[in-house]
Amino acid sequence: MIHITPEEQAGTAGKPGSQFTGTAFPYVTMAQTDGVTINTVVFTPGARTHWHSHENGQILQVLAGRGLVQSEGGPIEVLRVGDTVWVPPGERHWHGASPDSFLSHTAISLGTTSWEHPVADHEYEPSRDSEGSEQ
């Protein structure tokens, strides 16, 4: 068993660039242990990950705000508080905040993450149409 106290966690830092477009605040809850990494990330409005995939998949749990997620070739989907997303092994995808909302989610990444290029504005912008209908 590994018990990680808050004092032992890496903490929060604004992270523009690298694997994000915009400003995101990743909080490393558990550094990679037995192939599992857990991060809680707060995205500012419009911030998002680059395209990426995970060797053994990823689980996203939405904690606050509203966001977006898209797998390559699929529709952009709106994320709301309480949603859980399973991204299968090797599936290219991105996720982040909607243009007008912050997003906080916990990401449980399984295996190695393969980071790619940024999500272009023209790929992200059509999302404005997909988030207009609140239920």
Side-chain angles (χ1 to χ4, degrees), residues 86-132:
W86 165 244
V87 181
E91 186 169 288
R92 289 182 75 234
H93 67 288
W94 63 268
H95 39 95
S98 66
D100 61 351
S101 178
F102 282 80
L103 171 71
S104 177
H105 73 38
T106 296
I108 304 165
S109 302
L110 309 172
T112 302
T113 301
S114 297
W115 290 101
E116 299 181 28
H117 59 278
V119 174
D121 288 342
H122 72 273
E123 295 173 297
Y124 176 80
E125 289 301 321
S127 65
R128 292 184 189 274
D129 297 332
S130 69
E131 58 182 297

Side-chain angles (χ1 to χ4, degrees), residues 5-116:
T5 65
E7 294 80 20
E8 297 171 306
Q9 297 172 13
T12 304
K15 193 170 185 174
S18 70
Q19 300 108 0
F20 299 96
T21 297
T23 302
F25 297 89
Y27 189 93
V28 179
T29 306
M30 185 179 82
Q32 191 170 55
T33 304
D34 295 331
V36 177
T37 303
I38 303 174
N39 293 295
T40 298
V41 184
V42 175
F43 296 85
T44 60
R48 55 202 181 264
T49 66
H50 289 189
W51 285 102
H52 63 285
S53 62
H54 303 276
E55 177 182 23
N56 296 313
Q58 184 180 50
I59 300 163
L60 302 173
Q61 295 181 308
V62 180
L63 304 173
R66 189 172 66 245
L68 305 167
V69 63
Q70 181 183 32
S71 289
E72 182 177 38
I76 295 171
E77 297 185 31
V78 176
L79 297 173
R80 293 180 176 84
V81 175
D83 287 354
T84 299
V85 176
W86 165 244
V87 181
E91 186 169 288
R92 289 182 75 234
H93 67 288
W94 63 268
H95 39 95
S98 66
D100 61 351
S101 178
F102 282 80
L103 171 71
S104 177
H105 73 38
T106 296
I108 304 165
S109 302
L110 309 172
T112 302
T113 301
S114 297
W115 290 101
E116 299 181 28

